[in-house]
Amino acid sequence: MTDADVIIAGAGPAGLMAASELCLAGVRPLVLERQPGLREIPKASGFNGQIVELLRYRGLLDRVEAAAGRPVRPAPGAPFGDLYLDFSDLADPPIWAVPLPQARLEQLLSERAAELGADIRRGHEVTRVGQDDAAVTAEVRGPDGTSGLTARYLVGCDGAHSKVRDTAGIPFPGTTYPEVNRLAQVTLPDSVTRLDNGDLDVPGLGRLRTGFTRTDRGVFAFGSLGHGGLLVQTTEDELSGLSDDAPMTLAEFQASIRRVLGADLPLGEVTRLSRYGFQARQAERYRDGRILLAGDAAHQFPATGIGINTGLLDAVNLAWKLAAVVSGQAPSGLLNSYHDERHYAGARSMMQTQAQLALRRGTDPAAAALRELFGELLADEQPQRRLGSLIAATSIRYPMPGPGPHHPLAGTFAPNLTLRTGQGTTSVAELTHAARPVFLDLAGREDLLDAARGWQPRLDIHSAETDDRPADALLIRPDACVAWAAGAGEPAGTAAAGLHEALSRWLGAPRHSS
Ligand SMILES: Cc1cc2nc3c(=O)[nH]c(=O)nc-3n(C[C@H](O)[C@H](O)[C@H](O)COP(=O)(O)OP(=O)(O)OC[C@H]3O[C@@H](n4cnc5c(N)ncnc54)[C@H](O)[C@@H]3O)c2cc1C
C-alpha cells in the first residue's frame, strides 16, 4: 500500500497543471511544495503559445482573462535574438499571449487543482527519491521533521535545480552561458521623454531606440508594457556566479545600466527586479522507471518567454497517460510516448532558442552579417509565420507511431472546429473541457462509429457537421492531440482498421476483448 498513486514534487506552473489534469483523469495526486506559501518573488510576466488554446479547451480561459484584466490577444510581435519579429501586418498573427504574472497564474492553477481534489502540501521539500519495481519513495522534509512517502509514480516538477532529477541520476547535459541578465519593470520620471515611436530621449544620453541596443559592454533593451510601464533589461558577461535565487537590488540594476550604457538612466517607480542566467539543458530521459520529469526540471532554454508554455504542455501530455497506467487501462508503451513526444518538442524549442542566442552573442563582423541577414529575412511574412509558430510551439507535430501513411492532422493540435450537432452548435474546445478522449464523426460514417463504440464508455463519441471538413473523422486524445484522422472518402476497410489500431494504441483494449 502506497501513500499516494502519484506524488508531484513542486507546485510551480507545471506541477499544478499536472495535478489538475490528473484529477480530471480520476487520480488524486499528492503535491509537495518546499515553499510555505504561494510565490511572492516575481518571475515570468506572462506566457504565450499553444497552451493558451489548451486553456481555452479546458474552459479556463475566462478565469485567465479575468485574472489578467483583459482579453487574450495575439502578440503584436516577439523578440528573436536581439532582433524583432513584427506581426503587425499579419491578419492572423501566430502567437497568442497572456500578460498574467507568474504569481497570479500559480494562484489560479492552485485554486483549480484544489477544487478538483488535489492534496497540496506546502512547506514540504523533497530531498531525495528512490525507486524499485513496485514503488517510488520520496524523502520529505516538512514542518514535523523528515519522513518517507511512497507512491506508484513521482513527477519531478521541481524546477531548474531539480532534486528529483539529480537524485534519480538523470543526466541534464548542456551549456551554461556566462551572460547575466537583469530585468526590471519600471515607470519613467518626467525628465525622460517618450517619443511617438516609443524611443526614449534621455538627458545626458540622447536617444535610446526601443528594442535592443548593443554596446561594447553588453546589451541594453527595453519594451513597452502598456499603461506607461516599461520592461528594461541589461545583459552582461560576468563570471561572478550569482545565484538566480538571491534577490537583485535597485542599486545593482542601476550600476549594470551604467556599465552597459556608460551613463545613468533615471527611473521612476520600480515594481519588479530580477536577475537570471541562460542555460541550454535538456534531461536525457523524461522518464526513468516510475520517475518522470516535467517543466524546467526537464529543460532549460536560453531565451525567456517559452518556459511556461512548454512546462504546461508537458504536464498535459503526461497526466492522462499516467492516469491510464495508474488505473490499469494503459496499453503498453503509453507512458514512454511521453518522453518520445515531449523530448522531441523540447528539442525543437532548444533549437530555436539556441539559434536566438547565437544571433545575440556574436561580436565579430560575421555575427553582425548574420544579424543583418536575419533582419532582412524577418521582414518577410513566411519567415515571420514560421518562426512565430516555432516560438509558440503550434507547429509541433508529434511523430505518430504505427503503420503510415498518417493523415496530415495526425500528431498535431486538434483545430477548434465549429460543430453543428442535433443538439445545437458546439466546438472542439467545448468537447475537450473534461480532458477525455473524443471520437468526432464529421461525415456520418457508420463504419467508423461502429468501430469507435467498442471503446465506450472510456471514449466520448460525437457526430457533427462542420464547414471545410478537414477529415471524415478525428480521434482526439485528452491532450487535444489528433491521434488519428480519416481522409475524405477513405475506404471503410482501411479507415476502420486504422481507427482500431489507433484506439488500441492510445486507449488500450476495447470493451469486449478478453
Ligand atoms: C526572470 C525570469 C523571467 C521569465 N519570464 C518568462 C516569461 O515571460 N514567460 C515564460 O513563459 N517563462 C518565463 N520564465 C521561465 C518560467 O518562469 C519557468 O519556465 C517556469 O517557472 C517553469 O515552471 P516549473 O513549474 O517547471 O518550475 P518552477 O516555476 O521553478 O517551479 C518549481 C517549484 O518547485 C518547488 N521546488 C523546488 N525544489 C523542490 C523540492 N525539492 N521539493 C518540493 N518543491 C520544490 C519550487 O519552490 C517551485 O515552486 C522566466 C524565468 C525567469 C527566471
Side-chain angles (χ1 to χ4, degrees):
M1 184 72 181
T2 54
D3 297 295
D5 284 328
V6 177
I7 289 177
I8 296 173
L16 292 167
M17 190 74 189
S20 290
E21 292 281 308
L22 278 166
C23 290
L24 285 175
V27 172
R28 287 183 165 206
L30 170 58
V31 184
L32 302 172
E33 163 59 49
R34 76 174 166 192
Q35 296 295 341
L38 282 162
R39 174 185 302 279
E40 284 173 5
I41 298 173
K43 221 172 162 186
S45 48
F47 60 95
N48 63 50
Q50 186 68 77
I51 194 63
V52 178
E53 200 62 358
L54 199 283
L55 292 171
R56 186 195 308 281
Y57 282 28
R58 288 294 183 266
L60 282 174
L61 213 49
D62 288 351
R63 283 199 202 189
V64 168
E65 288 178 328
R70 66 168 226 211
V72 168
R73 294 186 197 135
F80 194 81
D82 58 4
L83 302 170
Y84 184 69
L85 277 164
D86 183 354
F87 303 136
S88 54
D89 286 337
L90 302 183
D92 54 339
I95 304 179
W96 286 73
V98 186
L100 182 65
Q102 184 161 340
R104 284 290 290 119
L105 173 68
E106 289 180 14
Q107 185 183 1
L108 190 151
L109 292 175
S110 186
E111 285 164 8
R112 158 96 165 165
E115 279 164 24
L116 291 171
D119 179 359
I120 304 174
R121 295 186 199 165
R122 298 185 185 274
H124 288 74
E125 180 177 12
V126 175
T127 50
R128 161 173 299 280
V129 294
Q131 61 176 319
D132 58 27
D133 290 347
V136 52
T137 308
E139 189 181 279
V140 183
R141 190 160 47 217
D144 302 323
T146 300
S147 58
L149 289 175
T150 57
R152 293 176 63 194
Y153 290 88
L154 185 143
V155 189
C157 297
D158 51 343
H161 307 287
S162 171
K163 273 266 165 40
V164 172
R165 183 189 65 226
D166 291 348
T167 60
I170 300 176
F172 197 43
T175 310
T176 300
Y177 293 95
E179 285 95 337
V180 175
N181 302 279
R182 294 182 173 87
L183 185 71
Q185 192 168 322
V186 303
T187 60
L188 292 171
D190 292 343
S191 59
V192 177
T193 310
R194 273 302 261 292
L195 304 176
D196 286 347
N197 67 352
D199 291 357
L200 303 182
D201 189 14
V202 186
L205 239 175
R207 190 167 178 148
L208 280 175
R209 262 189 333 115
T210 207
F212 296 87
T213 300
R214 185 177 289 274
T215 74
D216 292 343
R217 295 160 301 273
V219 176
F220 172 84
F222 73 92
S224 172
L225 287 170
H227 313 299
L230 285 186
L231 262 190
V232 181
Q233 178 173 301
T234 60
T235 304
E236 298 175 88
D237 274 10
E238 278 177 37
L239 299 172
S240 53
L242 291 162
S243 154
D244 284 4
D245 295 333
M248 184 174 79
T249 63
L250 181 57
E252 179 186 329
F253 186 56
Q254 284 172 319
S256 175
I257 294 178
R258 201 174 305 123
R259 284 194 299 274
V260 174
L261 290 179
D264 287 322
L265 172 67
L267 299 176
E269 192 190 349
V270 179
T271 46
R272 166 191 175 171
L273 285 163
S274 40
R275 178 200 321 103
Y276 60 97
F278 275 146
Q279 298 203 46
R281 296 185 180 277
Q282 191 174 20
E284 208 170 85
R285 307 183 287 285
Y286 283 20
R287 177 185 181 195
D288 187 291
R290 295 178 174 276
I291 296 171
L292 299 115
L293 299 177
D296 276 16
H299 39 67
Q300 279 282 287
F301 302 116
T304 57
I306 64 162
I308 291 179
N309 186 33
T310 318
L312 296 194
L313 291 173
D314 289 344
V316 175
N317 186 293
L318 172 62
W320 71 274
K321 296 172 180 174
L322 198 48
V325 174
V326 167
S327 68
Q329 291 177 332
S332 98
L334 184 68
L335 205 48
N336 286 340
S337 74
Y338 169 63
H339 167 90
D340 297 342
E341 295 178 352
R342 293 309 299 166
H343 192 277
Y344 166 76
R348 296 286 296 163
S349 295
M350 192 63 78
M351 183 270 286
Q352 66 92 356
T353 48
Q354 284 198 295
Q356 291 197 47
L357 202 61
L359 281 171
R360 281 181 64 166
R361 300 189 84 220
T363 49
D364 64 3
L370 182 67
R371 277 191 286 276
E372 190 179 337
L373 176 65
F374 247 80
E376 287 183 19
L377 290 174
L378 297 192
D380 294 346
E381 178 174 344
Q382 211 275 341
Q384 285 171 4
R385 288 195 179 285
R386 185 159 186 145
L387 289 179
S389 62
L390 196 51
I391 292 169
T394 47
S395 55
I396 291 291
R397 184 179 181 202
Y398 298 137
M400 285 288 107
H406 296 289
H407 189 281
L409 281 177
T412 68
F413 194 84
N416 191 10
L417 306 171
T418 300
L419 304 169
R420 293 181 298 279
T421 73
Q423 289 76 48
T425 301
T426 183
S427 64
V428 168
E430 283 182 16
L431 298 185
T432 46
H433 278 10
R436 284 172 52 80
V438 171
F439 176 75
L440 188 54
D441 158 47
L442 295 171
R445 296 271 307 246
E446 272 307 320
D447 54 325
L448 301 178
L449 282 163
D450 260 1
R453 285 184 192 113
W455 274 264
Q456 282 180 315
R458 269 183 285 151
L459 177 68
D460 289 349
I461 298 181
H462 299 276
S463 290
E465 289 179 358
T466 189
D467 296 334
D468 301 323
R469 194 169 68 212
D472 276 3
L474 297 173
L475 175 63
I476 303 173
R477 305 188 322 197
D479 58 341
C481 170
V482 176
W484 168 91
E490 189 174 335
T494 55
L499 176 59
H500 196 280
E501 199 278 333
L503 283 163
S504 305
R505 177 178 300 281
W506 298 110
L507 298 191
R511 191 180 17 165
H512 298 304
S513 75
S514 52

